[in-house]
Amino acid sequence: MPQPPAGSSLSAFSDARKIADLPGGGRVAVWQGAIASLCMAVGGLGVGWMASGSSLIRVPFFIVLRDNPIIVVVCTVLVVFGGLLLVRAWLRLGQRVGEWNAVSPGVLCRIAALWCAPLLVTFPLFSRDVYAYIGQGRLMMADLDPYVNGISALNNYHNLGPDSLWTEAPTPYGPLFLWIEQGVVWLSGGNLEVAFLLFRIAAVAGVALCAVAVIGLARHYGLDPSRTLWLTVVNPLFVINFIASIHNDSLMLGLLLVGLLAAVRGKPISAVVLATLSIGIKPITLIALPFIGLIWAGQRAGWGRKIASWAATAAISGGLLTLAGAATGFWFGWLPAMTTSGTVWIWFAPFGLLAATAGAVIQLFNGPADVVAEVVKAIGRVVGIALAAWFVVKGSSEKIMLRMALAFTAVVVTAAMIQPWYVTWLMAFFALVGVSEGRYLRFYYVATLFFTVIALTDQLDVFEWIPIVVVRAVAIVLSVAFVAYMMLWDWKTRVLFAPGLRIGRPRTAR
């Protein structure tokens, strides 16, 4: 069989060494991560999302797991402990490798596969968006427009298990993902478990695309591919948000990164096509198109060439999206669906908190609280778009990847709702810019910890007669305790968070 050319992204897989080649402490960290993932998978059987229409809901095994409050708490502990142990394993792996250039990228890919594998066979964790995907696929099967109709247009839609926010909301996804949703529903024959397993396989495919692209892009930008894989594909946020939670952001990001790889390798048309496929999953990646146009134009291009490259990029992408819209019959229905404002906000989103606070203050005076909150959210969106546009036209031509990362960050940070999986792709972009040792890497550690805790404590599925407040309190207390342990008491990991702390330890310590 012919081998991939040396130095290519795929060659990293063909010449992969074994995990056993890692230093002793590194092997311990790998297997610690595998145990952590297994804990999450087992706990997920008890507190992962199970739809009321599931064929498993009356199986005695799952009734025992989900009906007994003590077992539910045990499952919660397993999920939270497993998630944070996975973070610790990831941190320790980074400490124990030593010289990254001595480790094949294939080893990191195998580690990612090992950590993801147990989560393939548990219920969706920390999010039930996958059940919304299934509902939207059923809308497609029923010849209903998902850009106009919410899942409530289906008979017995409650049995599908989506969040109530999705029942009336139009889908914000692109035409390619609508076809994937329809295909999954058709292949699964209406079985919810088969359907979310197929969506998980699609998520795995997205992570594999990310791995191939990260290796190639890291080499192009002079970064160590193994270290960059550790920061991205092996990162617990990838494992949790893409595999455990089954978000379509995996495919979106994978297609975009492969498109960027094609762009830097001098294949601009392929790059635009791949980026357009990414837009067909989630249109947020429209932000990347002008940066691909800049790569196409070249570093020393004048404004005339830049504008010509942008025009060509827009023509190719716009043409493909028009064809896709004509094929679905829904045209560009995702545009108004994207801009539909919701009531959801979160406390660590600056404009979300500001909107909620402004609305609460106005309500004290019997004013139009909802109108004021919507105005604040709209201002946030405008600010985000303006900043993204600024990064498109301003900045060094040698730092296009950084400018793109900042443009995406501007749009995400100014939104009223920041989901952990949004941060996952931002961290991937910045990893490809290069995360140097010191405060930048510490910030990366803290962000991974913070958004892992947000995911672990946000959504757990328990029967209504089991007090969710108690279950969530257990998750929060355990998360805070574990994080405090890693940052303050664990002498192996606390040095990562305290720049002035130096603790001697034998080289063989594990």
Side-chain angles (χ1 to χ4, degrees):
M1 179 180 297
Q3 296 297 313
S8 72
S9 302
L10 293 177
S11 68
F13 297 90
S14 62
D15 66 359
R17 301 174 187 174
K18 296 179 180 179
I19 293 172
D21 292 339
L22 288 171
R27 293 195 299 273
V28 171
V30 169
W31 292 109
Q32 186 180 84
I35 292 169
S37 184
L38 183 61
C39 287
M40 293 173 66
V42 173
L45 296 176
V47 293
W49 286 100
M50 177 190 282
S52 58
S54 170
S55 59
L56 302 177
I57 200 164
R58 293 181 179 83
V59 173
F61 173 74
F62 293 108
I63 292 175
V64 170
L65 279 182
R66 292 171 172 265
D67 194 50
N68 187 309
I70 295 176
I71 296 179
V72 168
V73 169
V74 169
C75 288
T76 301
V77 169
L78 282 173
V79 167
V80 175
F81 173 78
L84 290 168
L85 182 63
L86 185 64
V87 175
R88 187 184 185 278
W90 175 73
L91 293 171
R92 292 293 293 145
L93 178 63
Q95 284 181 306
R96 299 305 301 172
V97 164
E99 296 295 328
W100 284 105
N101 57 15
V103 181
S104 165
V107 173
L108 276 298
C109 293
R110 292 187 181 201
I111 293 170
L114 181 65
W115 289 2
C116 290
L119 295 168
L120 296 177
V121 291
T122 193
F123 290 109
L125 279 165
F126 320 125
S127 172
R128 44 180 161 162
D129 281 3
V130 69
Y131 291 116
Y133 304 163
I134 296 169
Q136 291 155 7
R138 291 195 176 189
L139 287 172
M140 292 285 289
M141 293 290 289
D143 292 324
L144 295 172
D145 185 348
Y147 298 133
V148 174
N149 300 280
I151 297 171
S152 59
L154 298 168
N155 293 328
N156 300 317
Y157 68 91
H158 288 294
N159 290 336
L160 298 179
D163 191 292
S164 59
L165 294 172
W166 284 106
T167 56
E168 300 294 337
T171 177
Y173 306 133
L176 176 57
F177 196 66
L178 293 184
W179 284 324
I180 292 174
E181 290 173 327
Q182 184 177 12
V184 165
V185 170
W186 180 76
L187 285 172
S188 65
N191 185 291
L192 294 174
E193 284 70 42
V194 173
F196 76 65
L197 178 60
L198 291 173
F199 277 116
R200 238 191 202 125
I201 292 171
V204 169
V207 171
L209 288 174
C210 289
V212 171
V214 163
I215 293 168
L217 287 167
R219 285 175 172 158
H220 175 82
Y221 287 110
L223 304 172
D224 188 288
S226 295
R227 184 176 186 270
T228 311
L229 282 170
W230 169 69
L231 289 169
T232 56
V233 175
V234 185
N235 190 293
L237 291 177
F238 262 72
V239 178
I240 289 171
N241 291 310
F242 290 168
I243 305 302
S245 298
I246 325 180
H247 283 115
N248 59 0
D249 299 61
S250 168
L251 273 175
M252 176 205 80
L253 181 62
L255 287 167
L256 176 58
L257 292 180
V258 173
L260 290 168
L261 179 60
V264 300
R265 287 181 172 176
K267 300 176 181 177
I269 295 176
S270 297
V272 176
V273 170
L274 288 163
T276 304
L277 291 175
S278 176
I279 294 166
I281 302 292
K282 292 188 79 169
I284 184 69
T285 48
L286 278 166
I287 297 169
L289 280 182
F291 295 99
I292 290 175
L294 288 173
I295 296 172
W296 188 351
Q299 289 189 358
R300 298 186 178 163
W303 280 106
R305 183 167 176 79
K306 288 178 182 178
I307 292 171
S309 297
W310 283 333
T313 300
I316 295 169
S317 185
L320 291 172
L321 290 171
T322 300
L323 289 174
T328 61
F330 306 142
W331 296 98
F332 288 89
W334 47 268
L335 283 173
M338 275 183 68
T339 57
T340 300
S341 180
T343 59
V344 180
W345 65 279
I346 198 161
W347 58 270
F348 55 79
F351 278 90
L353 181 59
L354 184 60
T357 303
V361 170
I362 294 298
Q363 192 170 31
L364 291 175
F365 299 96
N366 296 319
D370 292 340
V371 173
V372 171
E374 287 305 311
V375 169
V376 173
K377 291 177 185 178
I379 291 172
R381 289 193 293 271
V382 171
V383 170
I385 293 170
L387 287 172
W390 172 266
F391 289 120
V392 169
V393 299
K394 292 290 184 179
S396 169
S397 59
E398 290 82 17
K399 296 183 178 179
I400 289 178
M401 182 65 78
L402 175 60
R403 289 161 59 187
M404 189 192 75
L406 291 171
F408 273 97
T409 302
V411 172
V412 169
V413 170
T414 55
M417 185 68 188
I418 301 174
Q419 299 284 14
W421 47 98
Y422 301 171
V423 177
T424 302
W425 23 277
L426 295 184
M427 292 177 72
F429 296 146
F430 282 107
L432 289 165
V433 173
V435 180
S436 58
E437 300 286 339
R439 65 179 183 273
Y440 295 111
L441 189 57
R442 283 195 296 276
F443 179 81
Y444 208 92
Y445 292 152
V446 172
T448 299
L449 260 179
F450 178 81
F451 286 101
T452 298
V453 170
I454 293 296
L456 295 175
T457 58
D458 184 30
Q459 296 189 45
L460 296 169
D461 183 28
V462 299
F463 287 147
E464 59 186 18
W465 56 85
I466 297 175
I468 184 63
V469 174
V470 174
V471 175
R472 183 163 289 175
V474 169
I476 292 172
V477 169
L478 179 56
S479 294
V480 171
F482 204 131
V483 169
Y485 167 71
M486 283 192 285
M487 295 184 71
L488 301 175
W489 291 291
D490 185 347
W491 65 270
K492 297 176 183 177
T493 58
R494 64 176 177 167
V495 294
L496 299 174
F497 301 95
L501 189 60
R502 295 289 184 269
I503 297 179
R505 56 180 170 83
R507 182 63 179 167
T508 57
R510 300 183 187 178

